[in-house]
């Protein structure tokens, strides 16, 4: 078993430092040591200037999330030995969740995150019976707003108009709460419901095992049922239409149905691709029992 | 000799045809028998957002077809892999399992839950590749890109999602030099039609971190992003094309001319 390990920690005090840097700390691994314990030891014994957030120490307040080797984790819930084993190393790198929002070292200004949460109007609008069945929203109610999912969502990093997985988990809670009577789904589409790229980082990083991607899928399914028009909805629907017609996807029709003629403009490289023969022979392969298969699909659809 | 039911996926049967063609070539040389079955579309993670039950139905139909032949499924598409594995996990629910099987029964099929789904990357025998090498990637730096779907969700991947190493081992078997870069980040393909700006930015962010002679991908969707939507000029090859070159197949046979960025390096 490794006894010594090194943490390379992001350090930046905007009031003093010209630019961020990394500082190395050498530590001894103790049994069951968490990253919260490791950072506390550094603070107590090696460097009192190191700044990080620490709360309940029990994985429930959502305060202490940071990035370790590029992924978001709660300091208090994550064991040092586990990640040393995963990365087969004695050296790990710790960063703040968002380097653009650093107040000092690992502490960030969370305003941007809470602004996104506020956008989905996180309160019940209702006069309905309080004794309603809430089982459907049990899981989404577990969110501790630790920001791990949103911090690891690449779409959120590139497009600030996408409110992010945590906000959609919160929205899921109100949309599927039988007591809530407000119409939220159209607004969800405006807030970027179809921007999720299905990368599932949020699913892996959620310390509460909520599966934010699944909650986004639930909301998308509802938006399709409610016929909230969006290219993403047309895109998803084509998979069902193609399946029923051929058994496999009609790629040409998928592009046409999703973006229409705009597709040619959007796919700026279309001509180059066409010249390479990419669009040749892309007719869907038809399955032999497509008629019978269609019948059982329709039965399932009508249930 | 290993034998699999071959699931190329809609995209490698059409737009990324070169991936299917190259895979058949390399498998014939590596003693992997690929059996074609009358598979239907997996739904690509979109169908379950339209109708989750139909999504389970089409996947269970495919599983049942493979089981009928006593075969496991090998795929060359990370999204198909991800979707099929998720469907399998959902079908562990007794009521869903029984419901879907009651429908499959009507078309003479039954899903038992036995079939295994694997990506080609994890079906390859490195010793066999080593002994079949005709050319080597000596002196060539390769960015081995896993992307997101092959490794996530974490309990279903065949490699560690935080620190995968199998692809690098394969590159070393081909005598190439794997390089470090954000190899598990998402290329953004699945919103490329609806939000192209974001998707292209996601791809470029990965490309910008690469110092290599080529990027090799295990998913045809990633290939489209890396080959057609990068602003630089880094050649992007399918896994099957790169192995194919090392097994002595020509660029023409491997349809490398269909890639937008040419791979000009000569292999010895």
């Amino acid at each position: 078993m490794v006894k010594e390990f090194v943490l390379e920690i992001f350090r930046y005090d905007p009031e003093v430092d010209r630019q961020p840097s990394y500082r190395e700390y050498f530590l001894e691994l103790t049994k069951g040591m968490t990253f919260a314990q490791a950072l506390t030891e550094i603070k107590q014994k090696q460097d009192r200037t190191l700044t990080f957030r620490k709360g309940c120490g029990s994985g429930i307040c959502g305060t202490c999330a940071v990035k370790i080797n590029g992924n978001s984790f709660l300091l208090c819930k994550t064991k040092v030995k586990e990640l040393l084993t995963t990365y087969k190393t004695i050296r790990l790198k710790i960063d703040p969740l968002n380097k653009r929002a650093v107040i000092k070292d690992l502490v960030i200004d969370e305003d941007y995150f809470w602004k996104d949460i506020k956008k989905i109007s996180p309160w019940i609008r209702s006069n309905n019976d309080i004794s309603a069945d809430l089982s459907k929203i049990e899981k989404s109610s577990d969110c501790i707003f630790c920001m791990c999912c949103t911090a690891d969502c690449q779409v959120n990093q590139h497009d600030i108009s996408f409110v992010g997985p945590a906000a959609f988990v919160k929205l899921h809670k109100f949309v599927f709460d039988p007591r809530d009577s407000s119409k939220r789904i159209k607004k969800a589409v405006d807030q970027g419901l179809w921007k999720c790229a299905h990368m599932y980082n949020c699913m892996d990083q959620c310390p509460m095992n909520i599966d934010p991607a699944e909650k986004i899928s639930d909301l998308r399914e509802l938006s399709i049922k409610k016929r909230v028009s969006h290219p993403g909805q047309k895109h998803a629907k084509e998979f069902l239409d193609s399946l029923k017609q051929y058994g496999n996807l009609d790629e040409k029709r998928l592009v046409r149905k999703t973006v229409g003629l705009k597709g040619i403009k959007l796919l700026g490289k279309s001509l180059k691709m066409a010249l390479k023969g990419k669009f040749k022979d892309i007719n869907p392969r038809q399955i032999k029992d497509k008629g019978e298969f269609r019948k059982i699909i329709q039965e399932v659809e009508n249930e | 000799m290993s034998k699999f039911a071959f699931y190329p996926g809609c995209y490698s049967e059409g737009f990324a045809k070169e991936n299917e063609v190259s895979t058949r070539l390399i498998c014939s040389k590596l003693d992997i028998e690929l059996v074609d079955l009358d598979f239907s579309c997996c739904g690509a993670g979109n169908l379950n957002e339209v109708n989750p039950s139909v999504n389970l139905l089409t996947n269970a139909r495919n599983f049942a077809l493979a089981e009928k032949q006593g075969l496991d499924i090998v795929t060359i598409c990370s999204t198909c892999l991800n979707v099929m594995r998720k469907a399998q996990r959902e079908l562990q629910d007794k009521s869903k399992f029984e419901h879907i099987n009651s429908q499959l029964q009507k078309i003479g099929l039954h899903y038992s839950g036995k079939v295994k789904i694997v990506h080609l990357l994890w079906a390859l025998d490195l010793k066999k590749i080593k002994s079949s090498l005709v050319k080597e990637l000596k002196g060539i730096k390769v960015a081995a890109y896993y992307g997101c779907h092959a490794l996530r969700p974490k309990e279903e991947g065949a490699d560690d999602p935080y620190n995968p190493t199998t692809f690098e081992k394969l590159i070393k078997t081909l005598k190439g030099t794997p390089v470090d870069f954000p190899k598990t980040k998402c290329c953004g393909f699945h919103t490329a039609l609806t939000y192209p700006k974001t998707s292209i930015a996601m791809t470029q962010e990965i490309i910008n971190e690469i110092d290599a002679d080529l990027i090799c991908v295990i998913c045809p969707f990633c290939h489209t992003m890396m080959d057609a939507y990068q602003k630089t000029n880094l050649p992007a090859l399918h896994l099957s094309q790169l192995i194919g070159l090392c097994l002595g197949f020509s660029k023409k046979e491997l349809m490398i001319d269909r890639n937008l960025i040419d791979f000009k390096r000569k292999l010895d």
Side-chain angles (χ1 to χ4, degrees), chain A residues 71 73 86-87 154-155 158-159 194-201 203-205 217 220-221 224 230-232 235-237 239-240 243 247-249 251 258-259 266-267 269 272-273 276-279 281-282 285 287-289 292-293 296-297 299-301 303, chain B residues 10-11 13-15 18 38-41 43-54 57-58 61 82 86 89 99 103 106-107 148-149 152-154 160-163 185-186 190-191 193-196 198 201-202 205 223 228-230 257-260:
Chain A
N71 291 106
F73 295 95
T86 296
Y87 287 101
Q154 287 168 247
V155 176
H158 285 280
D159 181 353
W194 290 100
K195 289 185 174 180
C196 164
H198 287 165
M199 72 189 70
Y200 305 120
N201 289 2
M203 197 174 177
D204 277 359
Q205 298 313 125
S217 287
R220 285 179 170 184
E221 191 191 340
I224 292 172
H230 186 276
H235 183 262
K237 270 193 78 191
F239 281 84
L240 178 62
L243 189 76
N248 279 299
L249 181 65
E251 293 175 76
T258 308
V259 286
L266 291 174
L267 295 167
K269 302 249 174 131
K272 250 184 157 180
M273 290 180 187
K276 290 279 183 182
K278 289 273 196 182
F279 298 110
D281 308 320
I282 57 169
R285 178 178 50 77
I287 60 169
K288 287 177 198 122
D289 65 342
E292 303 221 302
F293 187 40
I296 61 168
I297 291 175
E299 275 180 38
V300 168
E301 271 190 291
E303 277 164 0
Chain B
C10 301
Y11 205 62
E13 285 186 281
F15 195 85
E18 68 280 359
D38 199 20
F39 285 139
S40 49
C41 173
N46 294 287
L47 183 60
N48 72 318
E49 292 175 344
V50 187
N51 190 315
S53 298
V54 176
L57 186 68
T58 183
R61 177 187 170 276
N82 172 281
K86 280 171 85 174
R89 188 173 59 168
H99 170 235
Q103 291 295 339
K106 294 173 188 168
I107 53 172
C148 56
H149 281 175
R152 299 183 183 108
K154 65 184 166 201
D160 189 315
Y162 295 109
N163 188 26
K185 277 196 171 179
C186 171
H190 288 281
T191 48
L193 277 174
T194 42
Y195 296 102
T198 307
M202 283 161 71
E205 190 186 31
H223 186 262
Y229 290 102
Q230 56 162 298
D257 56 338
R258 277 168 64 100
N259 299 354
L260 265 64

Side-chain angles (χ1 to χ4, degrees), chain A residues 269 272, chain B residues 200 203-208 210 214-215 223-237 260-261:
Chain A
K269 302 249 174 131
K272 250 184 157 180
Chain B
I200 292 168
T203 289
Q204 194 58 41
E205 190 186 31
I206 298 164
I207 293 280
N208 288 345
I210 298 175
L214 70 103
I215 179 168
H223 186 262
T224 294
M225 292 310 292
M226 296 298 167
D227 181 46
Y229 290 102
Q230 56 162 298
K231 289 168 188 158
T232 27
N233 217 20
L234 182 72
L237 294 182
L260 265 64
I261 303 167

Side-chain angles (χ1 to χ4, degrees), chain B residues 67-86:
Chain B
E67 283 181 353
K68 211 174 175 179
Q69 304 298 321
L71 296 172
D72 288 331
I73 296 174
V74 69
T75 183
I76 49 173
C77 173
S78 301
T79 296
C80 297
L81 177 81
N82 172 281
V83 169
M84 287 193 277
R85 285 183 162 175
K86 280 171 85 174

Side-chain angles (χ1 to χ4, degrees), chain B residues 151-201:
Chain B
L151 300 168
R152 299 183 183 108
K154 65 184 166 201
E155 69 272 24
E156 289 162 355
D159 200 343
D160 189 315
Y162 295 109
N163 188 26
T165 52
T166 42
F167 203 173
E168 285 84 345
K169 276 182 196 151
L170 171 70
I171 299 300
K172 284 180 189 164
T173 304
L174 303 174
K175 309 288 181 199
T177 309
V179 298
D180 195 25
F181 74 108
K183 57 193 177 186
T184 63
K185 277 196 171 179
C186 171
C187 70
F189 175 86
H190 288 281
T191 48
L193 277 174
T194 42
Y195 296 102
K197 255 191 193 172
T198 307
S199 299
I200 292 168

Side-chain angles (χ1 to χ4, degrees), chain B residues 212-223:
Chain B
D213 298 300
L214 70 103
I215 179 168
C216 185
V217 302
I218 58 170
C219 174
F221 297 128
C222 302
H223 186 262

